[in-house]
Amino acid sequence: MTINHVFYTSRKLAESLAGNPYMAVISITDPTTPEARLDPLFRHVLRLSFFDAVPADEFMPALPGLFDQMMARRIRDFVDEIHRAPFAMSVMVHCEYGVSRSAAVALFVEAFSGAPLEAREFTYEANPWVIERLQALCPDLDIDIPAATAAHERRVATRA
């Protein structure tokens, strides 16, 4: 296993981090915002731009700016390339607020690579449309979205 850890976060936090050549980044922004300003020491970066949206009707044509199969393939190919690297790497996924899109993609990276996902229990708001598109591309993967109760349980657990 070359992907050894998966993280997801907000754009603000991702832009504040010092770069690390052993951390790949999947950078997700809105189509109406500029690219995230990431430290140049992040050498493996996939940049995507799509809205945090779910189609209102499966029979309507896809709206511009919606996550699609081409983006899903780009994610799969990027993660596969990182996973086949000859050295261990972690993967950080960020979106504007670090809640829905980044959580969905991070859950995919976890399922694809088998690497542990940090703060997994908080991914319960993962964008279902993104999950569905990634699941359709890799139907053998089990992309498991945790229940919201898991986050509550962690918040109320006694700390050591």
Side-chain angles (χ1 to χ4, degrees), residues 5-99:
H5 218 93
V6 184
F7 305 90
Y8 70 103
T9 190
S10 67
R11 175 185 183 142
K12 183 176 181 178
L13 182 59
E15 288 180 330
S16 74
L17 294 174
N20 178 343
Y22 296 102
M23 178 178 278
V25 179
I26 300 175
S27 176
I28 303 167
T29 55
D30 289 338
T32 57
T33 61
E35 289 184 345
R37 292 176 307 233
L38 301 171
D39 189 309
L41 284 178
F42 290 119
R43 293 197 172 105
H44 308 281
V45 179
L46 172 63
R47 293 182 184 273
L48 297 170
S49 183
F50 59 93
F51 290 113
D52 187 10
V54 175
D57 186 327
E58 65 183 277
F59 301 106
M60 291 184 66
L63 298 172
L66 196 62
F67 186 76
D68 60 26
Q69 284 306 116
M70 183 184 78
M71 291 179 209
R73 280 191 294 279
R74 288 182 64 199
I75 291 170
R76 182 207 51 207
D77 294 348
F78 180 78
V79 172
D80 185 47
E81 180 182 333
I82 297 302
H83 196 52
R84 289 186 286 114
F87 44 86
M89 292 187 70
S90 57
V91 175
M92 175 179 60
V93 185
H94 86 77
C95 64
E96 296 296 337
Y97 296 103
V99 175

Coordinates of all heavy atoms in Angstrom, one line a residue, residues 5-99:
H5 N -2.4 7.2 4.2 CA -3.3 8.0 5.0 C -4.2 8.9 4.1 O -3.6 9.4 3.2 CB -2.6 8.8 6.1 CG -3.3 8.8 7.4 ND1 -3.1 8.0 8.4 CD2 -4.3 9.6 7.8 CE1 -3.9 8.2 9.4 NE2 -4.6 9.2 9.1
V6 N -5.4 9.2 4.5 CA -6.3 10.1 3.8 C -6.8 11.1 4.7 O -7.3 10.8 5.8 CB -7.5 9.3 3.1 CG1 -8.3 10.2 2.3 CG2 -6.9 8.1 2.3
F7 N -6.8 12.4 4.3 CA -7.4 13.5 5.1 C -8.3 14.3 4.2 O -8.2 14.2 2.9 CB -6.2 14.4 5.5 CG -5.1 13.8 6.2 CD1 -4.0 13.3 5.5 CD2 -5.1 13.7 7.6 CE1 -3.0 12.7 6.2 CE2 -4.1 13.2 8.3 CZ -3.0 12.6 7.6
Y8 N -9.3 15.0 4.8 CA -10.1 15.9 4.0 C -10.2 17.2 4.9 O -10.2 17.1 6.1 CB -11.4 15.4 3.6 CG -12.4 15.1 4.8 CD1 -13.4 16.0 5.0 CD2 -12.3 14.1 5.6 CE1 -14.3 15.8 6.0 CE2 -13.1 13.9 6.7 CZ -14.2 14.7 6.8 OH -15.1 14.6 7.9
T9 N -10.3 18.3 4.2 CA -10.3 19.6 4.9 C -11.0 20.7 4.1 O -11.4 20.5 3.0 CB -8.9 19.9 5.3 OG1 -8.9 21.0 6.2 CG2 -8.0 20.3 4.1
S10 N -11.0 21.9 4.7 CA -11.5 23.0 4.0 C -10.4 23.7 3.1 O -9.2 23.4 3.3 CB -12.0 24.1 5.0 OG -10.9 24.6 5.7
R11 N -10.8 24.5 2.2 CA -9.8 25.2 1.3 C -8.9 26.1 2.2 O -7.7 26.2 2.0 CB -10.6 26.1 0.3 CG -9.8 27.0 -0.5 CD -10.6 27.9 -1.4 NE -9.7 28.7 -2.2 CZ -10.0 29.0 -3.5 NH1 -11.1 28.6 -4.0 NH2 -9.2 29.7 -4.2
K12 N -9.6 26.8 3.2 CA -8.8 27.7 4.0 C -7.6 27.0 4.7 O -6.5 27.5 4.7 CB -9.7 28.4 5.0 CG -9.0 29.4 5.9 CD -10.0 30.1 6.8 CE -9.4 31.2 7.6 NZ -10.3 31.9 8.5
L13 N -7.9 25.9 5.3 CA -6.9 25.1 6.0 C -5.8 24.6 5.0 O -4.6 24.7 5.2 CB -7.4 24.0 6.8 CG -6.4 23.2 7.6 CD1 -5.6 24.1 8.6 CD2 -7.1 22.0 8.3
A14 N -6.3 24.1 3.9 CA -5.4 23.6 2.8 C -4.4 24.6 2.4 O -3.2 24.4 2.2 CB -6.1 23.0 1.7
E15 N -4.9 25.9 2.2 CA -4.1 27.0 1.7 C -3.1 27.4 2.8 O -2.1 28.0 2.4 CB -4.9 28.1 1.3 CG -5.7 27.9 0.0 CD -6.5 29.1 -0.5 OE1 -7.0 29.8 0.4 OE2 -6.7 29.2 -1.7
S16 N -3.4 27.1 4.0 CA -2.5 27.5 5.1 C -1.4 26.5 5.4 O -0.4 26.8 6.1 CB -3.3 27.8 6.4 OG -3.7 26.6 7.0
L17 N -1.5 25.3 4.8 CA -0.5 24.3 5.2 C 0.8 24.4 4.4 O 0.8 24.8 3.2 CB -1.1 22.9 4.8 CG -2.3 22.5 5.7 CD1 -2.9 21.2 5.2 CD2 -1.9 22.4 7.1
A18 N 1.9 24.1 5.1 CA 3.2 24.0 4.4 C 3.2 22.8 3.5 O 2.6 21.7 3.8 CB 4.3 23.9 5.4
G19 N 3.7 22.9 2.3 CA 3.7 21.8 1.3 C 4.5 20.6 1.8 O 5.4 20.7 2.6
N20 N 4.2 19.5 1.2 CA 4.9 18.2 1.5 C 4.9 17.4 0.2 O 3.9 17.1 -0.3 CB 4.1 17.5 2.6 CG 4.7 16.2 3.0 OD1 5.5 15.6 2.3 ND2 4.3 15.7 4.1
P21 N 6.1 17.1 -0.3 CA 6.2 16.3 -1.5 C 5.6 14.9 -1.4 O 5.4 14.2 -2.4 CB 7.6 16.3 -1.9 CG 8.4 16.7 -0.6 CD 7.4 17.5 0.2
Y22 N 5.4 14.4 -0.1 CA 4.8 13.1 0.1 C 3.4 13.1 0.4 O 2.8 12.2 1.0 CB 5.6 12.4 1.2 CG 7.1 12.2 0.7 CD1 8.1 13.0 1.2 CD2 7.4 11.2 -0.2 CE1 9.4 12.8 0.8 CE2 8.7 11.0 -0.6 CZ 9.7 11.8 -0.1 OH 11.0 11.7 -0.5
M23 N 2.7 14.2 0.1 CA 1.3 14.4 0.2 C 0.7 14.8 -1.1 O 1.0 15.9 -1.6 CB 0.9 15.3 1.3 CG -0.6 15.5 1.5 SD -1.1 16.6 2.8 CE -1.0 15.5 4.2
A24 N -0.2 14.0 -1.7 CA -0.9 14.4 -2.9 C -2.1 15.1 -2.5 O -2.7 14.9 -1.4 CB -1.3 13.1 -3.7
V25 N -2.6 16.0 -3.3 CA -3.7 16.9 -3.0 C -4.8 16.8 -4.1 O -4.4 16.9 -5.3 CB -3.3 18.4 -2.8 CG1 -4.5 19.2 -2.5 CG2 -2.3 18.5 -1.7
I26 N -6.0 16.6 -3.8 CA -7.1 16.7 -4.7 C -7.8 18.0 -4.3 O -8.4 18.1 -3.2 CB -8.1 15.5 -4.7 CG1 -7.3 14.3 -5.0 CG2 -9.3 15.8 -5.6 CD1 -8.1 13.0 -4.9
S27 N -7.7 19.0 -5.1 CA -8.2 20.4 -4.8 C -9.5 20.6 -5.5 O -9.5 20.7 -6.8 CB -7.1 21.4 -5.2 OG -7.5 22.7 -5.1
I28 N -10.5 20.8 -4.8 CA -11.9 21.0 -5.4 C -12.3 22.4 -5.0 O -12.4 22.8 -3.9 CB -12.9 20.0 -4.8 CG1 -12.4 18.6 -5.1 CG2 -14.3 20.2 -5.4 CD1 -13.2 17.5 -4.3
T29 N -12.7 23.2 -6.1 CA -13.2 24.6 -5.9 C -14.5 24.7 -6.6 O -14.9 23.9 -7.4 CB -12.2 25.6 -6.4 OG1 -11.8 25.3 -7.8 CG2 -10.9 25.6 -5.6
D30 N -15.2 25.8 -6.4 CA -16.4 26.1 -7.1 C -16.0 26.7 -8.5 O -15.0 27.3 -8.6 CB -17.2 27.2 -6.4 CG -17.8 26.7 -5.1 OD1 -18.0 25.5 -5.0 OD2 -18.1 27.5 -4.2
P31 N -16.8 26.5 -9.5 CA -16.5 27.0 -10.8 C -16.4 28.6 -10.8 O -15.9 29.2 -11.7 CB -17.7 26.5 -11.7 CG -18.1 25.3 -11.0 CD -18.0 25.5 -9.6
T32 N -17.0 29.2 -9.8 CA -17.0 30.7 -9.7 C -15.8 31.3 -8.9 O -15.8 32.5 -8.7 CB -18.3 31.2 -9.2 OG1 -18.5 30.6 -7.9 CG2 -19.5 30.8 -10.1
T33 N -15.0 30.4 -8.4 CA -13.9 30.9 -7.6 C -12.5 30.5 -8.2 O -12.4 29.6 -9.0 CB -13.9 30.3 -6.1 OG1 -13.8 28.9 -6.2 CG2 -15.2 30.6 -5.4
P34 N -11.5 31.3 -7.9 CA -10.1 30.9 -8.4 C -9.6 29.7 -7.8 O -10.1 29.2 -6.8 CB -9.3 32.2 -8.1 CG -10.0 32.8 -6.9 CD -11.4 32.5 -7.1
E35 N -8.5 29.1 -8.4 CA -7.9 27.9 -7.9 C -7.4 28.2 -6.5 O -7.0 29.3 -6.2 CB -6.7 27.5 -8.8 CG -7.1 27.0 -10.1 CD -5.9 26.5 -10.9 OE1 -4.7 26.8 -10.6 OE2 -6.1 25.7 -11.9
A36 N -7.3 27.2 -5.7 CA -6.7 27.3 -4.3 C -5.2 27.6 -4.5 O -4.5 27.1 -5.4 CB -6.9 26.0 -3.6
R37 N -4.7 28.5 -3.6 CA -3.3 28.8 -3.5 C -2.6 27.8 -2.6 O -2.5 28.1 -1.4 CB -3.1 30.2 -3.1 CG -3.7 31.3 -4.1 CD -3.5 32.7 -3.5 NE -4.2 32.7 -2.2 CZ -5.1 33.5 -1.8 NH1 -5.5 34.5 -2.5 NH2 -5.6 33.4 -0.6
L38 N -2.1 26.8 -3.2 CA -1.5 25.7 -2.4 C 0.1 25.9 -2.5 O 0.6 26.4 -3.5 CB -1.8 24.3 -3.0 CG -3.3 24.0 -3.0 CD1 -3.5 22.7 -3.8 CD2 -3.8 23.8 -1.6
D39 N 0.7 25.5 -1.4 CA 2.2 25.6 -1.4 C 2.8 24.8 -2.5 O 2.3 23.7 -2.8 CB 2.7 25.1 0.0 CG 4.1 25.3 0.2 OD1 4.9 25.0 -0.6 OD2 4.5 25.8 1.3
P40 N 3.8 25.4 -3.2 CA 4.3 24.6 -4.4 C 5.1 23.3 -4.0 O 5.3 22.5 -4.9 CB 5.3 25.6 -5.0 CG 5.3 26.9 -4.2 CD 4.3 26.7 -3.1
L41 N 5.3 23.1 -2.7 CA 5.9 21.9 -2.3 C 5.0 20.7 -2.4 O 5.4 19.5 -2.4 CB 6.5 22.0 -0.9 CG 7.8 22.7 -0.8 CD1 8.3 22.8 0.6 CD2 8.9 22.1 -1.7
F42 N 3.7 21.0 -2.6 CA 2.7 19.9 -2.9 C 2.9 19.7 -4.4 O 2.5 20.4 -5.3 CB 1.3 20.3 -2.7 CG 0.9 20.5 -1.2 CD1 0.5 21.7 -0.7 CD2 0.9 19.4 -0.4 CE1 0.1 21.8 0.6 CE2 0.6 19.5 1.0 CZ 0.2 20.7 1.5
R43 N 3.6 18.6 -4.7 CA 4.0 18.3 -6.1 C 3.0 17.5 -6.9 O 3.0 17.5 -8.1 CB 5.3 17.6 -6.1 CG 6.4 18.6 -5.7 CD 7.8 18.0 -6.1 NE 8.8 19.1 -5.7 CZ 9.6 19.0 -4.7 NH1 9.6 17.9 -3.9 NH2 10.5 19.9 -4.5
H44 N 2.1 16.8 -6.2 CA 1.1 16.0 -6.9 C -0.3 16.5 -6.6 O -0.8 16.3 -5.5 CB 1.2 14.5 -6.4 CG 2.6 14.0 -6.5 ND1 3.1 13.5 -7.6 CD2 3.5 13.8 -5.5 CE1 4.4 13.1 -7.4 NE2 4.6 13.3 -6.1
V45 N -0.8 17.3 -7.5 CA -2.1 18.0 -7.3 C -3.0 17.8 -8.4 O -2.6 18.0 -9.6 CB -1.8 19.5 -7.1 CG1 -3.2 20.3 -6.9 CG2 -0.9 19.8 -6.0
L46 N -4.2 17.4 -8.1 CA -5.3 17.3 -9.1 C -6.3 18.4 -8.8 O -6.8 18.4 -7.6 CB -6.0 15.9 -9.0 CG -7.3 15.8 -9.9 CD1 -7.0 15.9 -11.4 CD2 -8.0 14.4 -9.6
R47 N -6.5 19.3 -9.7 CA -7.5 20.4 -9.5 C -8.8 20.1 -10.3 O -8.7 19.8 -11.5 CB -6.8 21.7 -10.0 CG -5.7 22.1 -9.1 CD -5.1 23.4 -9.6 NE -3.9 23.8 -8.8 CZ -3.9 24.5 -7.7 NH1 -5.1 24.9 -7.1 NH2 -2.8 24.8 -7.1
L48 N -9.9 20.2 -9.6 CA -11.2 20.0 -10.1 C -12.1 21.2 -9.7 O -11.9 21.8 -8.6 CB -11.8 18.7 -9.6 CG -11.1 17.4 -10.0 CD1 -11.7 16.3 -9.3 CD2 -11.2 17.2 -11.5
S49 N -13.1 21.5 -10.5 CA -14.0 22.6 -10.2 C -15.4 22.1 -10.5 O -15.7 21.9 -11.7 CB -13.6 23.8 -11.1 OG -14.4 24.9 -10.7
F50 N -16.2 22.0 -9.5 CA -17.6 21.7 -9.6 C -18.4 22.1 -8.4 O -17.8 22.3 -7.3 CB -17.8 20.2 -9.9 CG -17.3 19.3 -8.8 CD1 -18.1 18.8 -7.8 CD2 -16.0 18.8 -8.8 CE1 -17.7 18.0 -6.8 CE2 -15.5 17.9 -7.8 CZ -16.4 17.5 -6.8
F51 N -19.7 22.3 -8.6 CA -20.5 22.8 -7.5 C -20.9 21.7 -6.6 O -20.9 20.5 -7.0 CB -21.8 23.4 -8.1 CG -21.6 24.7 -8.8 CD1 -21.8 24.8 -10.2 CD2 -21.2 25.9 -8.1 CE1 -21.6 26.0 -10.8 CE2 -21.0 27.1 -8.8 CZ -21.2 27.1 -10.1
D52 N -21.2 22.0 -5.3 CA -21.7 21.1 -4.4 C -23.2 21.0 -4.6 O -23.9 21.6 -3.9 CB -21.3 21.6 -2.9 CG -21.6 20.5 -1.9 OD1 -22.0 19.4 -2.3 OD2 -21.6 20.9 -0.7
A53 N -23.5 20.2 -5.6 CA -24.9 20.1 -5.9 C -25.3 18.7 -6.3 O -24.4 17.8 -6.6 CB -25.2 21.0 -7.2
V54 N -26.6 18.4 -6.2 CA -27.2 17.1 -6.6 C -28.3 17.4 -7.6 O -29.1 18.3 -7.4 CB -27.8 16.4 -5.4 CG1 -28.5 15.1 -5.7 CG2 -26.7 16.2 -4.3
P55 N -28.3 16.7 -8.7 CA -29.4 17.0 -9.7 C -30.8 16.9 -9.1 O -31.0 16.0 -8.3 CB -29.2 15.9 -10.8 CG -27.8 15.4 -10.6 CD -27.5 15.6 -9.1
A56 N -31.6 17.7 -9.5 CA -33.0 17.7 -9.0 C -33.8 16.6 -9.6 O -34.7 16.1 -8.9 CB -33.7 19.1 -9.3
D57 N -33.5 16.2 -10.8 CA -34.2 15.1 -11.5 C -33.3 14.3 -12.3 O -32.5 14.9 -13.1 CB -35.3 15.8 -12.3 CG -36.3 14.9 -13.0 OD1 -35.9 13.7 -13.3 OD2 -37.4 15.3 -13.2
E58 N -33.4 13.0 -12.2 CA -32.4 12.2 -13.0 C -32.7 12.2 -14.5 O -31.9 11.8 -15.3 CB -32.5 10.7 -12.5 CG -33.9 10.1 -12.8 CD -34.0 8.7 -12.2 OE1 -33.5 7.7 -12.9 OE2 -34.5 8.5 -11.1
F59 N -33.8 12.7 -14.9 CA -34.2 12.8 -16.3 C -33.8 14.1 -17.0 O -33.9 14.2 -18.2 CB -35.7 12.5 -16.5 CG -36.1 11.2 -16.0 CD1 -36.8 11.1 -14.8 CD2 -35.7 10.0 -16.6 CE1 -37.2 9.8 -14.3 CE2 -36.0 8.8 -16.1 CZ -36.8 8.7 -15.0
M60 N -33.4 15.1 -16.2 CA -33.0 16.4 -16.7 C -31.5 16.3 -17.2 O -30.7 15.5 -16.6 CB -33.1 17.5 -15.7 CG -34.5 17.8 -15.4 SD -34.6 19.2 -14.2 CE -34.0 20.5 -15.2
P61 N -31.2 17.0 -18.2 CA -29.8 17.0 -18.7 C -28.9 17.6 -17.6 O -29.3 18.4 -16.8 CB -29.7 17.8 -19.9 CG -31.0 18.6 -20.0 CD -32.0 17.8 -19.1
A62 N -27.6 17.1 -17.5 CA -26.7 17.6 -16.5 C -26.5 19.1 -16.7 O -26.3 19.6 -17.8 CB -25.4 16.9 -16.6
L63 N -26.5 19.8 -15.5 CA -26.2 21.2 -15.6 C -24.7 21.5 -15.6 O -23.9 20.7 -15.1 CB -26.8 21.9 -14.3 CG -28.3 21.7 -14.1 CD1 -28.7 22.2 -12.8 CD2 -29.0 22.5 -15.2
P64 N -24.3 22.6 -16.2 CA -22.9 23.0 -16.2 C -22.4 23.1 -14.8 O -23.1 23.7 -14.0 CB -22.8 24.3 -17.0 CG -24.1 24.4 -17.7 CD -25.1 23.6 -16.9
G65 N -21.2 22.7 -14.6 CA -20.6 22.8 -13.2 C -20.9 21.7 -12.3 O -20.6 21.7 -11.1
L66 N -21.7 20.6 -12.8 CA -22.0 19.5 -11.9 C -21.0 18.4 -12.1 O -20.4 18.2 -13.1 CB -23.4 19.0 -12.4 CG -24.1 18.0 -11.4 CD1 -24.5 18.8 -10.1 CD2 -25.4 17.6 -12.1
F67 N -20.7 17.7 -11.0 CA -19.7 16.6 -11.0 C -20.2 15.6 -12.1 O -21.4 15.3 -12.1 CB -19.6 16.0 -9.6 CG -18.6 14.9 -9.5 CD1 -17.2 15.3 -9.4 CD2 -18.9 13.6 -9.5 CE1 -16.2 14.3 -9.3 CE2 -17.9 12.6 -9.4 CZ -16.6 13.0 -9.3
D68 N -19.2 15.1 -12.9 CA -19.6 14.2 -13.9 C -18.6 13.0 -14.0 O -17.7 12.9 -13.3 CB -19.7 14.9 -15.3 CG -18.4 15.5 -15.7 OD1 -17.3 15.1 -15.3 OD2 -18.5 16.5 -16.5
Q69 N -18.9 12.0 -14.9 CA -18.1 10.8 -15.1 C -16.7 11.2 -15.5 O -15.7 10.4 -15.1 CB -18.7 9.9 -16.0 CG -19.9 9.1 -15.5 CD -19.6 8.4 -14.2 OE1 -20.2 8.7 -13.1 NE2 -18.7 7.4 -14.2
M70 N -16.4 12.2 -16.3 CA -15.1 12.6 -16.7 C -14.3 12.9 -15.4 O -13.1 12.5 -15.3 CB -15.1 13.7 -17.7 CG -13.7 14.1 -18.2 SD -13.7 15.5 -19.3 CE -13.9 16.8 -18.1
M71 N -14.9 13.7 -14.5 CA -14.2 14.1 -13.3 C -13.9 12.9 -12.4 O -12.9 12.7 -11.8 CB -15.0 15.1 -12.5 CG -15.0 16.5 -13.2 SD -16.0 17.6 -12.3 CE -16.6 18.7 -13.5
A72 N -14.9 12.0 -12.4 CA -14.7 10.7 -11.6 C -13.6 9.9 -12.1 O -12.8 9.4 -11.4 CB -16.0 9.9 -11.6
R73 N -13.4 9.8 -13.5 CA -12.3 9.1 -14.1 C -11.0 9.8 -13.7 O -10.0 9.1 -13.5 CB -12.5 9.0 -15.6 CG -13.4 7.9 -16.0 CD -13.4 7.6 -17.5 NE -13.9 8.7 -18.3 CZ -15.1 8.9 -18.5 NH1 -16.1 8.2 -18.0 NH2 -15.5 10.0 -19.3
R74 N -11.0 11.1 -13.7 CA -9.7 11.8 -13.4 C -9.3 11.5 -11.9 O -8.1 11.4 -11.7 CB -9.9 13.3 -13.6 CG -10.0 13.7 -15.1 CD -10.1 15.2 -15.3 NE -8.9 15.9 -14.8 CZ -8.9 17.2 -14.6 NH1 -10.0 17.9 -14.7 NH2 -7.8 17.7 -14.1
I75 N -10.3 11.5 -11.1 CA -10.0 11.2 -9.7 C -9.5 9.7 -9.6 O -8.4 9.5 -8.9 CB -11.2 11.4 -8.8 CG1 -11.6 12.8 -8.6 CG2 -11.0 10.7 -7.4 CD1 -12.9 13.1 -8.0
R76 N -10.2 8.8 -10.2 CA -9.7 7.4 -10.1 C -8.3 7.2 -10.7 O -7.5 6.6 -10.0 CB -10.7 6.5 -10.9 CG -10.3 5.0 -10.8 CD -10.7 4.2 -11.9 NE -10.3 4.8 -13.2 CZ -11.0 4.6 -14.3 NH1 -12.1 3.8 -14.4 NH2 -10.6 5.1 -15.5
D77 N -8.0 7.9 -11.8 CA -6.7 7.7 -12.4 C -5.6 8.4 -11.6 O -4.5 7.8 -11.4 CB -6.7 8.3 -13.8 CG -7.6 7.6 -14.8 OD1 -8.0 6.4 -14.5 OD2 -7.9 8.1 -15.9
F78 N -5.9 9.5 -11.0 CA -5.0 10.2 -10.1 C -4.7 9.3 -8.9 O -3.5 9.1 -8.5 CB -5.5 11.6 -9.7 CG -4.6 12.4 -8.8 CD1 -3.5 13.1 -9.3 CD2 -4.9 12.5 -7.5 CE1 -2.7 13.8 -8.5 CE2 -4.1 13.2 -6.6 CZ -3.0 13.9 -7.2
V79 N -5.7 8.8 -8.2 CA -5.5 8.0 -7.0 C -4.8 6.7 -7.4 O -3.9 6.3 -6.6 CB -6.9 7.7 -6.4 CG1 -6.8 6.7 -5.2 CG2 -7.5 9.0 -5.8
D80 N -5.1 6.1 -8.5 CA -4.4 4.9 -8.9 C -2.9 5.2 -9.1 O -2.1 4.4 -8.7 CB -5.1 4.4 -10.2 CG -4.5 3.0 -10.6 OD1 -4.3 2.1 -9.7 OD2 -4.1 2.9 -11.8
E81 N -2.6 6.3 -9.8 CA -1.2 6.7 -10.0 C -0.5 6.9 -8.7 O 0.6 6.4 -8.5 CB -1.1 7.9 -10.8 CG 0.3 8.4 -11.2 CD 0.3 9.7 -12.0 OE1 -0.7 9.9 -12.7 OE2 1.3 10.4 -11.8
I82 N -1.1 7.6 -7.8 CA -0.5 7.8 -6.4 C -0.3 6.5 -5.7 O 0.7 6.2 -5.1 CB -1.3 8.8 -5.6 CG1 -1.3 10.2 -6.3 CG2 -0.8 8.9 -4.2 CD1 0.0 10.8 -6.6
H83 N -1.3 5.7 -5.8 CA -1.3 4.4 -5.1 C -0.2 3.5 -5.6 O 0.3 2.6 -4.9 CB -2.6 3.7 -5.1 CG -2.9 2.6 -4.1 ND1 -2.6 2.8 -2.8 CD2 -3.2 1.3 -4.3 CE1 -2.9 1.6 -2.2 NE2 -3.3 0.8 -3.1
R84 N 0.2 3.6 -6.9 CA 1.2 2.8 -7.5 C 2.6 3.4 -7.3 O 3.6 2.8 -7.8 CB 0.9 2.5 -8.9 CG -0.3 1.6 -9.2 CD -0.5 1.2 -10.6 NE -1.1 2.3 -11.4 CZ -0.5 3.0 -12.3 NH1 0.7 2.6 -12.7 NH2 -1.1 3.9 -13.0
A85 N 2.7 4.5 -6.7 CA 4.0 5.2 -6.5 C 4.9 4.2 -5.7 O 4.5 3.5 -4.8 CB 3.9 6.5 -5.7
P86 N 6.2 4.3 -5.9 CA 7.2 3.4 -5.2 C 7.5 3.8 -3.8 O 8.3 3.2 -3.1 CB 8.4 3.5 -6.1 CG 8.4 4.8 -6.7 CD 6.9 5.1 -6.9
F87 N 6.8 4.9 -3.3 CA 7.0 5.3 -1.9 C 5.7 5.7 -1.3 O 4.7 5.9 -2.0 CB 8.0 6.5 -1.9 CG 7.7 7.5 -2.9 CD1 6.7 8.5 -2.7 CD2 8.3 7.5 -4.2 CE1 6.4 9.5 -3.7 CE2 8.0 8.4 -5.1 CZ 7.1 9.4 -4.9
A88 N 5.6 5.7 0.0 CA 4.4 6.0 0.7 C 4.0 7.4 0.6 O 4.9 8.3 0.7 CB 4.5 5.6 2.2
M89 N 2.7 7.7 0.4 CA 2.2 9.0 0.3 C 0.9 9.1 1.0 O 0.1 8.1 1.0 CB 2.0 9.4 -1.2 CG 3.3 9.6 -2.0 SD 3.0 10.3 -3.6 CE 2.5 12.0 -3.2
S90 N 0.5 10.2 1.5 CA -0.8 10.5 2.0 C -1.6 11.3 0.9 O -1.0 11.9 0.0 CB -0.8 11.2 3.3 OG 0.0 12.4 3.2
V91 N -2.9 11.4 1.1 CA -3.7 12.1 0.2 C -4.6 13.1 1.0 O -5.2 12.6 1.9 CB -4.6 11.2 -0.7 CG1 -5.6 12.0 -1.6 CG2 -3.8 10.3 -1.6
M92 N -4.6 14.3 0.6 CA -5.4 15.3 1.3 C -6.4 15.8 0.2 O -6.0 16.1 -0.9 CB -4.7 16.5 1.8 CG -5.6 17.6 2.3 SD -4.7 19.0 3.0 CE -3.8 19.6 1.6
V93 N -7.7 15.8 0.6 CA -8.8 16.3 -0.3 C -9.3 17.5 0.3 O -9.7 17.5 1.5 CB -9.9 15.2 -0.5 CG1 -10.9 15.7 -1.6 CG2 -9.3 13.9 -0.9
H94 N -9.5 18.6 -0.5 CA -10.1 19.8 0.1 C -11.2 20.3 -0.8 O -11.1 20.1 -2.1 CB -9.1 20.9 0.4 CG -8.8 21.8 -0.7 ND1 -9.6 22.8 -1.1 CD2 -7.7 21.8 -1.5 CE1 -9.1 23.4 -2.2 NE2 -7.9 22.8 -2.4
C95 N -12.2 20.9 -0.3 CA -13.2 21.7 -1.0 C -13.4 23.0 -0.3 O -12.6 23.3 0.6 CB -14.5 20.9 -1.2 SG -15.4 20.5 0.3
E96 N -14.3 23.8 -0.7 CA -14.4 25.1 -0.1 C -14.6 25.1 1.4 O -13.9 25.8 2.1 CB -15.6 25.9 -0.7 CG -15.4 26.2 -2.2 CD -14.3 27.1 -2.6 OE1 -13.8 27.9 -1.7 OE2 -13.8 27.1 -3.7
Y97 N -15.5 24.2 1.9 CA -15.8 24.2 3.4 C -15.3 22.9 4.0 O -15.4 22.8 5.3 CB -17.2 24.4 3.7 CG -17.6 25.8 3.2 CD1 -18.4 26.1 2.1 CD2 -17.3 26.9 4.0 CE1 -18.7 27.4 1.7 CE2 -17.6 28.2 3.6 CZ -18.3 28.4 2.5 OH -18.6 29.7 2.1
G98 N -14.9 21.9 3.3 CA -14.4 20.7 3.8 C -15.5 19.8 4.4 O -15.3 19.1 5.4
V99 N -16.7 19.8 3.8 CA -17.8 19.1 4.4 C -18.3 18.0 3.5 O -18.4 16.8 3.8 CB -18.9 20.0 4.8 CG1 -20.1 19.3 5.3 CG2 -18.4 21.0 5.9

